[in-house]
Amino acid sequence: MALFDVLAAAPDAWAYAAGGTVRCRLTLIGSASSAERWVDWMSAQLCGHFSLASPPPPPSTPPQAEATALPDERQQDAPGRRCFFSSPPHVVLAGHAVEPGARLAFDVVGTLPDGLPPSHHGDLARIEYVAVLTVRMMRPPSEPSSGWRRGPICRLRVPLRVLLCG
């Protein structure tokens, strides 16, 4: 059972030029069947990956165990896949309650540097760009003597297309 759903929408398009500004509206929707949860933190990061003859990474990854620092997509390279561009991860939401059925909407804005190669999905090589949303939820104490319970870290990768313009 999901604790929340995430909707991602681009006001312009999912295709961008190198040097352009990426705008994405994210909406976090609390599950109607779960109790109130809190967003411990949510971060966003823009990344570019190069891979040789391997399938693309899944759109989301299974939850991870405890982490002591804000996760960075540059550290998530898989064999045959290399991160060649990443913006610093930045916190877009922290310490906020998500009530059942409630919607929290916010905009994520980032700039792609000039000179990036265009997206490419060939038979031998791939160049892919993603907006990575990383979130950790918390559960309030069920009784005064118990503490807050941190949930796992979850990632969602939203694909972007970078075009060759000029």
Side-chain angles (χ1 to χ4, degrees):
M1 171 189 354
L3 299 177
F4 59 92
D5 291 318
V6 177
L7 301 176
D12 304 322
W14 291 109
Y16 304 91
T21 300
V22 175
R23 285 180 171 66
C24 183
R25 181 150 190 91
L26 297 170
T27 305
L28 185 69
I29 305 168
S31 171
S33 61
S34 70
E36 176 184 69
R37 303 292 176 154
W38 282 75
V39 175
D40 186 8
W41 52 260
M42 182 181 297
S43 69
Q45 184 176 21
L46 299 175
C47 300
H49 297 279
F50 173 79
S51 60
L52 289 173
S54 62
S60 61
T61 56
Q64 293 181 347
E66 294 287 322
T68 57
L70 193 61
D72 189 341
E73 187 67 10
R74 289 173 287 200
Q75 300 165 358
Q76 303 299 318
D77 279 341
R81 181 174 147 233
R82 179 159 203 116
C83 180
F84 64 86
F85 154 71
S86 68
S87 65
H90 66 278
V91 175
V92 295
L93 186 65
H96 203 297
V98 181
E99 307 228 0
R103 290 176 170 251
L104 298 173
F106 47 93
D107 293 325
V108 175
V109 179
T111 302
L112 297 170
D114 290 323
L116 288 176
S119 298
H120 177 74
H121 292 256
D123 291 335
L124 298 176
R126 293 176 185 223
I127 297 175
E128 301 169 301
Y129 295 90
V130 290
V132 181
L133 178 67
T134 308
V135 65
R136 171 180 272 169
M137 302 296 285
M138 292 185 72
R139 188 175 330 147
S142 54
E143 48 191 65
S145 62
S146 65
W148 285 78
R149 294 182 57 195
R150 283 191 163 156
I153 295 172
C154 300
R155 280 191 180 82
L156 175 67
R157 290 175 174 85
V158 179
L160 306 171
R161 186 171 271 307
V162 174
L163 304 175
L164 182 61
C165 297

